[in-house]
PDB file of all heavy atoms in Angstrom:
ATOM      1  N   LYS A  87      -6.149  32.978   6.534  1.00 98.00           N
ATOM      2  CA  LYS A  87      -7.440  33.547   6.870  1.00 98.00           C
ATOM      3  C   LYS A  87      -8.234  32.568   7.809  1.00 98.00           C
ATOM      4  O   LYS A  87      -8.121  31.344   7.662  1.00 98.00           O
ATOM      5  CB  LYS A  87      -8.326  33.797   5.651  1.00 98.00           C
ATOM      6  CG  LYS A  87      -7.663  34.698   4.539  1.00 98.00           C
ATOM      7  CD  LYS A  87      -8.620  34.896   3.390  1.00 98.00           C
ATOM      8  CE  LYS A  87      -7.920  35.724   2.405  1.00 98.00           C
ATOM      9  NZ  LYS A  87      -8.738  35.905   1.070  1.00 98.00           N
ATOM     10  N   PRO A  88      -9.163  32.967   8.612  1.00 98.00           N
ATOM     11  CA  PRO A  88      -9.986  32.158   9.433  1.00 98.00           C
ATOM     12  C   PRO A  88     -10.789  31.118   8.564  1.00 98.00           C
ATOM     13  O   PRO A  88     -10.977  29.927   9.034  1.00 98.00           O
ATOM     14  CB  PRO A  88     -10.958  33.083  10.108  1.00 98.00           C
ATOM     15  CG  PRO A  88     -10.138  34.293  10.242  1.00 98.00           C
ATOM     16  CD  PRO A  88      -9.453  34.467   8.957  1.00 98.00           C
ATOM     17  N   GLU A  89     -11.098  31.427   7.220  1.00 97.00           N
ATOM     18  CA  GLU A  89     -11.811  30.593   6.331  1.00 97.00           C
ATOM     19  C   GLU A  89     -10.944  29.369   5.931  1.00 97.00           C
ATOM     20  O   GLU A  89     -11.521  28.511   5.350  1.00 97.00           O
ATOM     21  CB  GLU A  89     -12.317  31.373   5.142  1.00 97.00           C
ATOM     22  CG  GLU A  89     -13.197  32.585   5.402  1.00 97.00           C
ATOM     23  CD  GLU A  89     -12.236  33.804   5.504  1.00 97.00           C
ATOM     24  OE1 GLU A  89     -11.835  34.173   6.620  1.00 97.00           O
ATOM     25  OE2 GLU A  89     -12.223  34.597   4.491  1.00 97.00           O
ATOM     26  N   ASP A  90      -9.549  29.436   6.171  1.00 98.00           N
ATOM     27  CA  ASP A  90      -8.841  28.307   5.869  1.00 98.00           C
ATOM     28  C   ASP A  90      -8.716  27.204   6.871  1.00 98.00           C
ATOM     29  O   ASP A  90      -8.186  26.094   6.771  1.00 98.00           O
ATOM     30  CB  ASP A  90      -7.291  28.914   5.657  1.00 98.00           C
ATOM     31  CG  ASP A  90      -7.238  29.770   4.460  1.00 98.00           C
ATOM     32  OD1 ASP A  90      -7.818  29.495   3.499  1.00 98.00           O
ATOM     33  OD2 ASP A  90      -6.595  30.790   4.604  1.00 98.00           O
ATOM     34  N   THR A  91      -9.476  27.451   7.924  1.00 98.00           N
ATOM     35  CA  THR A  91      -9.442  26.582   9.101  1.00 98.00           C
ATOM     36  C   THR A  91     -10.271  25.247   8.592  1.00 98.00           C
ATOM     37  O   THR A  91     -11.252  25.278   8.112  1.00 98.00           O
ATOM     38  CB  THR A  91     -10.283  27.086  10.355  1.00 98.00           C
ATOM     39  OG1 THR A  91      -9.567  28.229  10.848  1.00 98.00           O
ATOM     40  CG2 THR A  91     -10.467  26.056  11.425  1.00 98.00           C
ATOM     41  N   ALA A  92      -9.465  24.124   8.760  1.00 98.00           N
ATOM     42  CA  ALA A  92      -9.966  22.850   8.245  1.00 98.00           C
ATOM     43  C   ALA A  92      -9.061  21.767   8.548  1.00 98.00           C
ATOM     44  O   ALA A  92      -7.920  22.001   8.964  1.00 98.00           O
ATOM     45  CB  ALA A  92     -10.216  22.954   6.818  1.00 98.00           C
ATOM     46  N   MET A  93      -9.571  20.593   8.356  1.00 98.00           N
ATOM     47  CA  MET A  93      -8.438  19.417   8.417  1.00 98.00           C
ATOM     48  C   MET A  93      -7.867  19.269   7.094  1.00 98.00           C
ATOM     49  O   MET A  93      -8.814  19.179   5.969  1.00 98.00           O
ATOM     50  CB  MET A  93      -9.291  18.112   8.682  1.00 98.00           C
ATOM     51  CG  MET A  93      -8.358  16.847   8.969  1.00 98.00           C
ATOM     52  SD  MET A  93      -7.391  16.948  10.530  1.00 98.00           S
ATOM     53  CE  MET A  93      -8.563  16.701  11.643  1.00 98.00           C
ATOM     54  N   TYR A  94      -6.710  19.203   6.824  1.00 98.00           N
ATOM     55  CA  TYR A  94      -5.990  19.101   5.631  1.00 98.00           C
ATOM     56  C   TYR A  94      -5.443  17.756   5.368  1.00 98.00           C
ATOM     57  O   TYR A  94      -4.813  17.154   6.307  1.00 98.00           O
ATOM     58  CB  TYR A  94      -4.710  20.097   5.518  1.00 98.00           C
ATOM     59  CG  TYR A  94      -5.333  21.556   5.356  1.00 98.00           C
ATOM     60  CD1 TYR A  94      -5.919  22.210   6.252  1.00 98.00           C
ATOM     61  CD2 TYR A  94      -5.109  22.110   4.037  1.00 98.00           C
ATOM     62  CE1 TYR A  94      -6.434  23.517   6.087  1.00 98.00           C
ATOM     63  CE2 TYR A  94      -5.505  23.337   3.847  1.00 98.00           C
ATOM     64  CZ  TYR A  94      -6.172  24.135   4.759  1.00 98.00           C
ATOM     65  OH  TYR A  94      -6.633  25.454   4.670  1.00 98.00           O
ATOM     66  N   TYR A  95      -5.636  17.191   4.243  1.00 98.00           N
ATOM     67  CA  TYR A  95      -5.301  15.790   3.881  1.00 98.00           C
ATOM     68  C   TYR A  95      -4.469  15.884   2.657  1.00 98.00           C
ATOM     69  O   TYR A  95      -4.637  16.429   1.730  1.00 98.00           O
ATOM     70  CB  TYR A  95      -6.534  14.937   3.576  1.00 98.00           C
ATOM     71  CG  TYR A  95      -7.577  14.810   4.659  1.00 98.00           C
ATOM     72  CD1 TYR A  95      -8.575  15.763   4.822  1.00 98.00           C
ATOM     73  CD2 TYR A  95      -7.447  13.698   5.575  1.00 98.00           C
ATOM     74  CE1 TYR A  95      -9.545  15.614   5.843  1.00 98.00           C
ATOM     75  CE2 TYR A  95      -8.344  13.614   6.562  1.00 98.00           C
ATOM     76  CZ  TYR A  95      -9.346  14.466   6.790  1.00 98.00           C
ATOM     77  OH  TYR A  95     -10.309  14.376   7.803  1.00 98.00           O
ATOM     78  N   CYS A  96      -3.339  14.999   2.710  1.00 97.00           N
ATOM     79  CA  CYS A  96      -2.394  14.600   1.625  1.00 97.00           C
ATOM     80  C   CYS A  96      -2.986  13.513   0.852  1.00 97.00           C
ATOM     81  O   CYS A  96      -3.573  12.439   1.434  1.00 97.00           O
ATOM     82  CB  CYS A  96      -1.063  14.365   2.097  1.00 97.00           C
ATOM     83  SG  CYS A  96       0.068  13.834   0.950  1.00 97.00           S
ATOM     84  N   ALA A  97      -2.925  13.470  -0.458  1.00 96.00           N
ATOM     85  CA  ALA A  97      -3.587  12.358  -1.301  1.00 96.00           C
ATOM     86  C   ALA A  97      -2.724  12.068  -2.494  1.00 96.00           C
ATOM     87  O   ALA A  97      -2.088  12.987  -2.947  1.00 96.00           O
ATOM     88  CB  ALA A  97      -5.176  12.692  -1.670  1.00 96.00           C
ATOM     89  N   ALA A  98      -2.867  10.876  -3.006  1.00 95.00           N
ATOM     90  CA  ALA A  98      -2.128  10.556  -4.175  1.00 95.00           C
ATOM     91  C   ALA A  98      -3.059   9.627  -5.051  1.00 95.00           C
ATOM     92  O   ALA A  98      -3.888   8.964  -4.594  1.00 95.00           O
ATOM     93  CB  ALA A  98      -0.811   9.713  -3.811  1.00 95.00           C
ATOM     94  N   ASP A  99      -2.875   9.808  -6.447  1.00 93.00           N
ATOM     95  CA  ASP A  99      -3.697   9.080  -7.323  1.00 93.00           C
ATOM     96  C   ASP A  99      -2.992   9.105  -8.677  1.00 93.00           C
ATOM     97  O   ASP A  99      -2.123   9.815  -9.012  1.00 93.00           O
ATOM     98  CB  ASP A  99      -5.086   9.700  -7.423  1.00 93.00           C
ATOM     99  CG  ASP A  99      -6.088   8.839  -8.306  1.00 93.00           C
ATOM    100  OD1 ASP A  99      -6.434   7.750  -7.870  1.00 93.00           O
ATOM    101  OD2 ASP A  99      -6.441   9.358  -9.345  1.00 93.00           O
ATOM    102  N   ARG A 100      -3.505   8.211  -9.644  1.00 92.00           N
ATOM    103  CA  ARG A 100      -2.964   8.149 -10.890  1.00 92.00           C
ATOM    104  C   ARG A 100      -3.393   9.273 -11.812  1.00 92.00           C
ATOM    105  O   ARG A 100      -2.603   9.655 -12.797  1.00 92.00           O
ATOM    106  CB  ARG A 100      -3.286   6.744 -11.664  1.00 92.00           C
ATOM    107  CG  ARG A 100      -2.683   6.526 -12.959  1.00 92.00           C
ATOM    108  CD  ARG A 100      -3.008   5.048 -13.492  1.00 92.00           C
ATOM    109  NE  ARG A 100      -2.472   4.988 -14.901  1.00 92.00           N
ATOM    110  CZ  ARG A 100      -2.524   3.708 -15.503  1.00 92.00           C
ATOM    111  NH1 ARG A 100      -3.085   2.815 -14.954  1.00 92.00           N
ATOM    112  NH2 ARG A 100      -2.040   3.757 -16.758  1.00 92.00           N
ATOM    113  N   TYR A 101      -4.683   9.822 -11.661  1.00 91.00           N
ATOM    114  CA  TYR A 101      -5.239  10.566 -12.628  1.00 91.00           C
ATOM    115  C   TYR A 101      -5.539  12.066 -12.139  1.00 91.00           C
ATOM    116  O   TYR A 101      -5.603  12.950 -12.974  1.00 91.00           O
ATOM    117  CB  TYR A 101      -6.630   9.990 -12.947  1.00 91.00           C
ATOM    118  CG  TYR A 101      -6.556   8.669 -13.513  1.00 91.00           C
ATOM    119  CD1 TYR A 101      -7.000   7.571 -12.771  1.00 91.00           C
ATOM    120  CD2 TYR A 101      -5.987   8.322 -14.723  1.00 91.00           C
ATOM    121  CE1 TYR A 101      -6.867   6.270 -13.265  1.00 91.00           C
ATOM    122  CE2 TYR A 101      -5.882   7.092 -15.357  1.00 91.00           C
ATOM    123  CZ  TYR A 101      -6.296   6.071 -14.525  1.00 91.00           C
ATOM    124  OH  TYR A 101      -6.242   4.799 -14.967  1.00 91.00           O
ATOM    125  N   GLY A 102      -5.470  12.306 -10.864  1.00 92.00           N
ATOM    126  CA  GLY A 102      -5.557  13.681 -10.353  1.00 92.00           C
ATOM    127  C   GLY A 102      -6.846  14.478 -10.551  1.00 92.00           C
ATOM    128  O   GLY A 102      -6.787  15.660 -10.710  1.00 92.00           O
TER     129      GLY A 102
END
Side-chain angles (χ1 to χ4, degrees):
K87 305 174 180 179
E89 304 93 273
D90 296 318
T91 296
M93 185 73 74
Y94 283 71
Y95 298 90
C96 176
D99 190 69
R100 181 176 179 179
Y101 304 107

